[in-house]
Amino acid sequence: MSQIKIQHTQNPAIVKFILPDFVTKGENFEFKNIDETANSPIAKELFYLPFVKTVFISNNFIAIEKFSIVEWDEVEEVVADQISNFLIKGKQVLLETASDKKKQPITIYAESTPNPAVIKFVANKLLTKKGIEFKNIDETQASPLAKELFKLPFVKEVFLDENYVSISKFDSFEWNDYIQSTRAFIKEYLEQGNLAVDEALILDTKAIDDKEELHFDSLDEKSQRIINILEEYVKPAVQADGGNIAFQNYNEQTNIVQVMLQGACSGCPSSTFTLKNGIENMLRQMLDDNTIIVEAYNG
């Protein structure tokens, strides 16, 4: 009987094979072809299967993305048995490399944001491929870092995107008392090889991205133009301030555009008004429509 547990994901092309023990210490590995598998004998072996497209290794699982030539229910047991046999023989899933022996030190610096309640902590490494907002500790299943941050008494909300963490504090605390200790906490957490965001979420965002693309294609032309303007001209500036902006809806009858603010922008006394008017003026100019109205909501 195989010692490997099979777990399906939100992406029908990807299945996770849960191992009995952890094989990485917070690192995530992605192999797109057999030529990239020099430090992973198991990934190399799996690529001999003709339907294997991508191999992911993280924590205590191996996730495989397949080509469409087969269905998972036809081959998943075979793959599980192959991984199990590999482990029984005592082979290494990952080989130690020179870069493993010398860990890259983590650098964290703190930035103020337009929102006085929010400080942005920037790292010299990628933390997540998708912006994620957490309103409380119960929402942090996908982010071990956010979960640990919520254990700090002053933390109200956490937003992660790319290489930074934006933390919102409760009003009864002052950032001057906590910036240095929080920076040190995040630095030590990451240097120990801990994950900021669970790799399983990163895998599943492929399915989310596919849904977003389908949703985009179903929108009217003006809504698509609005989204493109927000993505190209507004979002980069908002992200630089530790926040995010997301298109919600465009009503053709009322000519109202609704956007949601996250991270440092959410709940900021001035950003809602500033962003609303800035976006509104930009959309009016670029779409040549002076009747457009923007409504901004906090995420």
Side-chain angles (χ1 to χ4, degrees):
M1 183 178 178
S2 174
Q3 57 180 288
I4 307 301
K5 294 181 180 179
I6 299 170
Q7 182 179 34
H8 293 268
T9 71
Q10 294 180 18
N11 187 336
I14 296 176
V15 165
K16 292 169 66 174
F17 297 88
I18 310 300
L19 311 180
D21 299 299
F22 279 73
V23 293
T24 74
K25 297 179 180 179
E27 304 97 335
N28 308 309
F29 299 87
E30 180 177 349
F31 306 95
K32 294 186 177 296
N33 56 64
I34 197 169
D35 292 336
E36 298 180 354
T37 60
N39 70 325
S40 178
I42 184 62
K44 183 175 182 179
E45 189 172 305
L46 290 168
F47 271 110
Y48 287 123
L49 300 172
F51 56 85
V52 172
K53 181 179 181 182
T54 311
V55 176
F56 308 88
I57 300 177
S58 179
N59 292 329
N60 66 330
F61 69 83
I62 297 173
I64 299 176
E65 181 182 14
K66 70 173 182 65
F67 288 107
S68 57
I69 57 175
V70 297
E71 296 300 325
W72 268 121
D73 58 6
E74 300 171 351
V75 297
E76 58 189 24
E77 293 292 345
V78 174
V79 175
D81 288 339
Q82 182 168 337
I83 295 174
S84 181
N85 291 334
F86 180 94
L87 297 177
I88 290 172
K89 293 176 182 178
K91 296 181 180 180
Q92 287 183 280
V93 173
L94 293 161
L95 304 178
E96 188 177 45
T97 64
S99 61
D100 294 327
K101 296 175 183 177
K102 185 178 180 181
K103 283 191 174 181
Q104 179 185 6
I106 301 297
T107 301
I108 303 290
Y109 67 88
E111 284 186 359
S112 60
T113 74
N115 187 341
V118 177
I119 292 293
K120 175 182 175 183
F121 296 89
V122 184
N124 64 333
K125 64 172 288 184
L126 183 70
L127 303 180
T128 177
K129 297 178 182 177
K130 189 110 179 154
I132 316 169
E133 186 172 41
F134 304 98
K135 296 288 189 181
N136 55 64
I137 197 169
D138 293 335
E139 298 178 354
T140 61
Q141 294 88 344
S143 176
L145 173 57
K147 184 175 183 178
E148 292 303 312
L149 288 170
F150 271 111
K151 294 177 182 178
L152 303 176
F154 60 90
V155 173
K156 182 180 180 181
E157 296 177 8
V158 177
F159 177 77
L160 287 95
D161 195 7
E162 297 183 349
N163 68 327
Y164 68 85
V165 186
S166 289
I167 301 176
S168 173
K169 69 172 182 65
F170 288 104
D171 291 340
S172 57
F173 296 88
E174 295 297 330
W175 264 122
N176 287 339
D177 299 329
Y178 295 99
I179 288 179
Q180 292 305 320
S181 60
T182 305
R183 187 191 68 80
F185 176 86
I186 296 172
K187 175 181 169 66
E188 182 179 357
Y189 177 91
L190 295 175
E191 284 185 336
Q192 290 177 350
N194 297 310
L195 284 176
V197 175
D198 194 296
E199 181 70 9
L201 176 64
I202 297 176
L203 296 180
D204 291 343
T205 56
K206 292 186 176 183
I208 296 172
D209 289 340
D210 289 342
K211 289 180 181 178
E212 289 179 352
E213 187 173 340
L214 287 173
H215 175 65
F216 179 86
D217 291 339
S218 69
L219 296 174
D220 61 275
E221 181 183 356
K222 193 165 186 177
S223 293
Q224 291 180 348
R225 292 180 66 190
I226 291 170
I227 291 174
N228 287 334
I229 291 171
L230 294 177
E231 290 289 328
E232 184 173 356
Y233 297 100
V234 181
K235 184 171 285 189
V238 172
Q239 288 177 327
D241 284 333
N244 189 44
I245 184 168
F247 172 83
Q248 293 295 290
N249 179 57
Y250 168 65
N251 188 313
E252 190 174 5
Q253 281 70 42
T254 61
N255 216 17
I256 293 176
V257 178
Q258 293 181 329
V259 297
M260 182 173 67
L261 305 178
Q262 297 175 308
C265 299
S266 180
C268 177
S270 61
S271 66
T272 302
F273 175 80
T274 304
L275 276 172
K276 174 190 179 301
N277 286 275
I279 298 167
E280 196 169 81
N281 291 334
M282 181 180 292
L283 291 177
R284 288 180 176 182
Q285 181 178 358
M286 298 187 76
L287 296 174
D288 194 22
D289 184 348
N290 290 325
T291 64
I292 284 181
I293 299 171
V294 172
E295 293 181 352
Y297 299 91
N298 292 321

